[in-house]
Amino acid sequence: MIREVDALPERRSSESVVVIGAGMAGLCAAYELRRSGCEVTVLEARRTAGGRVRTRRDFPGALYVEEGATRFPVVHHYTMHYLREFGLPLIPFDRPDMGHTLRIIGHDLESHPWGQDAWPDELPLHADERALDLEGLHARYVTPLLDEIGDPLSPGWPGELLRERFDSVGYADLLRSRGASEGAIRALALGFHVGEGPNSLSALWWLECMALDAGPRGKVKVEGGNDRLAEAFAARLGDRIRFGRAVRRIVQDPTGISVHAESLAGTEVLRADRVVCALPVPLVLDVVFEPELPPLRREALQSVPYASLSRVALQCRRRFWLDQGRPGFEDTDEEVAEVWDLSVGEPGDRGVLVAYSGGNEARRVTAMTGEERVAYTARRLESLLPGLLDHLEGGVSRCWDAEPWARGGGAWFRTGQSGLRDVIAAPLGRIHFAGEATSPWAGWVQGALDSARRATAEILEASV
Ligand SMILES: Cc1cc2nc3c(=O)[nH]c(=O)nc-3n(C[C@H](O)[C@H](O)[C@H](O)COP(=O)(O)OP(=O)(O)OC[C@H]3O[C@@H](n4cnc5c(N)ncnc54)[C@H](O)[C@@H]3O)c2cc1C
């Protein structure tokens, strides 16, 4: 099922709004508020818009690399809505006809839409699981859980009962309690890079993520680079975006808000009726709020974990993996959790493979120099795709823990934490909070856009 885009309140407002952050959440909120008549100013610390949607074009050769958001599931209705609204050309992200390679306990299995190689004998599966491929394991263990939790967007969801049953248990423990063997749990975690592994996640939160992404499986990307989506928003906002402005202080009084921003020219203070704070959670905590954030709110912000994520992209002089009949997409149980071929749909012979890791492995890569990251990743990928070293031309990396204006890849929720989202998303007087962490689609552009529309609706509904 692909959901319908719900309409924003049909209301005009002439309020002045300062939007903090020109990532996808801030851009979208500013765009929609402006369309509803608001006077909008966007303050962005960096020199460019897009935040964690970042396309790198200084890569050797003609190709480009996505350092953040890379693929958009077609079920992400808000993302698809804006991609269509701006007329951006889309191309498939992967090769559905070739499937993926699964690397599990050192064995490579081809997984195609029409079937999968048998699991290795050493994988500790129950006898009756052995005949099931990954889809089959999913259908046996995950689908019934998704049925049990229902539609996360239904009113009142999740309710006390679901929270009691699923929030304080880790995802892997929940699968275990439903009879999954250790081998099945390992298989179902192939390619996993969220949080600190499957058992660190609140099972309720992770089931919610999966339920929201259920439906047609296709994924697309923007031809020429995903930052074209950010550019499309930014072009429509023009000089309403002020770059190089880092917000340090937000002072709220009964008649409005003063926003203090630092730039090379000094500190400037903007006065507005309302603020949309569209910053990543670790950056919200750096801002001085007057009056202070309520203690419960600060505690919630402090406890939301941000994922360590690393990306190392390797350029190869030809797409040698295709000669070997390999799709260039690998889901593994090793340090490099996922490998993607970023050159699908791009002209020429050259190819770019990107290695994607989370948790401990991402932190290990973050601690290396740029050259070390490339050399280390090339050695890892040689073991997955032999021939890589012979074809390697160069590489680049991006480690999100080390990005000063993000300080992490995206929000996730530990066991017992799924209720925190509502705490950090609630408005505080004239301050409205957006950003992927405040949406059920945390960790996706869809989450940033959803949160922007929610904050826009809050402002329009509150306007007199
Ligand atoms: C490695 C990685 C892979 C991803 N893959 C995908 C994917 O394949 N598909 C997908 O849909 N999503 C993906 N995402 C998630 C997606 O990129 C994010 O969810 C989304 O871009 C977040 O948007 P945002 O506006 O909430 O935050 P951000 O993009 O972080 O925007 C916040 C903005 O605030 C600015 N800022 C910070 N502090 C201040 C301050 N004090 N004053 C002013 N400005 C400030 C920042 O510079 C930034 O521009 C990925 C993310 C990462 C990191």
Side-chain angles (χ1 to χ4, degrees):
M1 177 188 71
I2 300 187
R3 295 174 197 268
E4 294 287 314
V5 172
D6 42 328
L8 288 166
E10 274 184 37
R11 225 189 242 198
R12 303 283 302 165
S13 166
S14 55
E15 286 196 317
S16 55
V17 184
V18 169
V19 175
I20 307 172
M24 298 311 301
L27 290 169
C28 178
Y31 173 73
E32 292 296 355
L33 287 164
R34 168 95 200 100
R35 284 217 292 202
S36 301
C38 294
E39 254 328 301
V40 175
T41 306
V42 183
L43 300 176
E44 166 57 48
R46 298 176 68 237
R47 297 275 156 198
T48 51
R52 282 170 275 166
V53 178
R54 209 178 290 181
T55 309
R56 185 160 181 169
R57 295 192 174 77
D58 61 347
F59 205 63
L63 293 163
Y64 51 88
V65 165
E66 299 298 348
E67 298 183 322
T70 307
R71 74 281 194 232
F72 303 125
V74 295
V75 291
H76 283 184
H77 56 305
Y78 294 126
T79 311
M80 299 311 292
H81 168 76
Y82 289 105
L83 290 168
R84 272 196 295 269
E85 179 157 325
F86 299 137
L88 293 168
L90 303 178
I91 50 179
F93 164 70
D94 54 8
R95 301 188 175 84
D97 54 324
M98 290 184 79
H100 284 205
T101 306
L102 310 178
R103 162 72 64 103
I104 191 160
I105 48 172
H107 295 261
D108 288 334
L109 316 180
E110 292 306 317
S111 167
H112 303 286
W114 57 88
Q116 181 198 298
D117 293 341
W119 299 112
D121 291 341
E122 307 93 288
L123 188 67
L125 291 165
H126 297 322
D128 60 346
E129 291 171 337
R130 213 156 263 293
L132 303 173
D133 60 9
L134 196 50
E135 294 275 311
L137 291 174
H138 195 274
R140 173 172 295 184
Y141 296 116
V142 183
T143 308
L145 286 165
L146 298 182
D147 292 342
E148 262 176 81
I149 67 157
D151 181 1
L153 298 188
S154 60
W157 193 92
E160 279 312 304
L161 197 62
L162 285 181
R163 249 196 235 293
E164 253 169 48
R165 287 170 63 196
F166 296 133
D167 187 33
S168 52
V169 59
Y171 177 58
D173 281 344
L174 179 62
L175 294 176
R176 208 167 273 124
S177 75
R178 297 296 172 110
S181 66
E182 293 310 309
I185 293 170
R186 194 175 185 108
L188 288 165
L190 284 168
F192 212 88
H193 57 254
V194 185
E196 303 294 328
N199 216 37
S200 62
L201 314 178
S202 152
L204 182 62
W205 176 68
W206 190 240
L207 291 171
E208 178 188 17
C209 295
M210 287 192 285
L212 290 172
D213 283 352
R217 294 257 179 98
K219 294 190 181 77
V220 294
K221 57 186 181 181
V222 179
E223 189 177 348
N226 290 336
D227 65 352
R228 291 179 69 190
L229 178 58
E231 280 165 11
F233 277 116
R236 282 151 183 86
L237 291 163
D239 61 10
R240 289 181 186 85
I241 309 181
R242 299 198 200 162
F243 292 104
R245 276 25 179 230
V247 169
R248 302 293 187 203
R249 219 170 127 208
I250 302 176
V251 182
Q252 186 167 198
D253 61 56
T255 60
I257 302 199
S258 302
V259 178
H260 299 240
E262 238 172 64
S263 70
L264 288 179
T267 301
E268 66 191 293
V269 182
L270 278 82
R271 188 79 187 156
D273 296 316
R274 292 182 184 274
V275 158
V276 175
C277 178
L279 303 181
V281 168
L283 276 298
V284 177
L285 286 163
D286 282 356
V287 175
V288 175
F289 287 83
E290 290 173 29
E292 274 179 32
L293 292 174
L296 268 182
R297 177 78 165 226
R298 181 161 285 280
E299 254 168 52
L301 288 163
Q302 279 164 342
S303 49
V304 173
Y306 253 53
S308 300
L309 294 176
S310 68
R311 283 271 172 89
V312 182
L314 302 178
Q315 177 164 315
C316 300
R317 64 179 62 85
R318 52 179 286 104
R319 299 170 200 175
F320 66 92
W321 51 94
L322 296 179
D323 303 337
Q324 301 167 3
R326 306 275 295 254
F329 287 82
E330 310 253 339
D331 301 319
T332 88
D333 59 359
E334 300 184 352
E335 287 86 347
V336 174
E338 281 187 290
V339 179
W340 298 336
D341 174 359
L342 293 189
S343 36
V344 172
E346 301 297 340
D349 291 333
R350 277 200 165 100
V352 174
L353 294 169
V354 71
Y356 194 10
S357 301
N360 280 336
E361 175 64 6
R363 289 187 286 276
R364 191 203 326 257
V365 173
T366 305
M368 299 176 187
T369 65
E371 276 175 19
E372 285 166 353
R373 290 173 187 171
V374 170
Y376 168 83
T377 306
R379 284 196 304 277
R380 295 260 167 216
L381 261 58
E382 172 71 26
S383 98
L384 290 166
L385 292 162
L388 180 119
L389 291 175
D390 293 339
H391 292 88
L392 184 65
E393 290 184 312
V396 292
S397 60
R398 179 69 60 199
C399 294
W400 287 89
D401 281 358
E403 285 303 291
W405 299 110
R407 299 226 295 270
W412 60 282
F413 295 91
R414 293 182 194 279
T415 49
Q417 285 193 330
S418 75
L420 289 184
R421 182 176 66 228
D422 293 345
V423 181
I424 64 170
L428 274 178
R430 294 167 176 273
I431 311 175
H432 302 264
F433 290 84
E436 51 85 24
T438 66
S439 162
W441 287 274
W444 293 101
V445 164
Q446 163 92 348
L449 300 173
D450 167 59
S451 73
R453 294 175 65 92
R454 193 241 320 124
T456 301
E458 284 168 10
I459 290 177
L460 296 179
E461 272 155 13
S463 299
V464 280

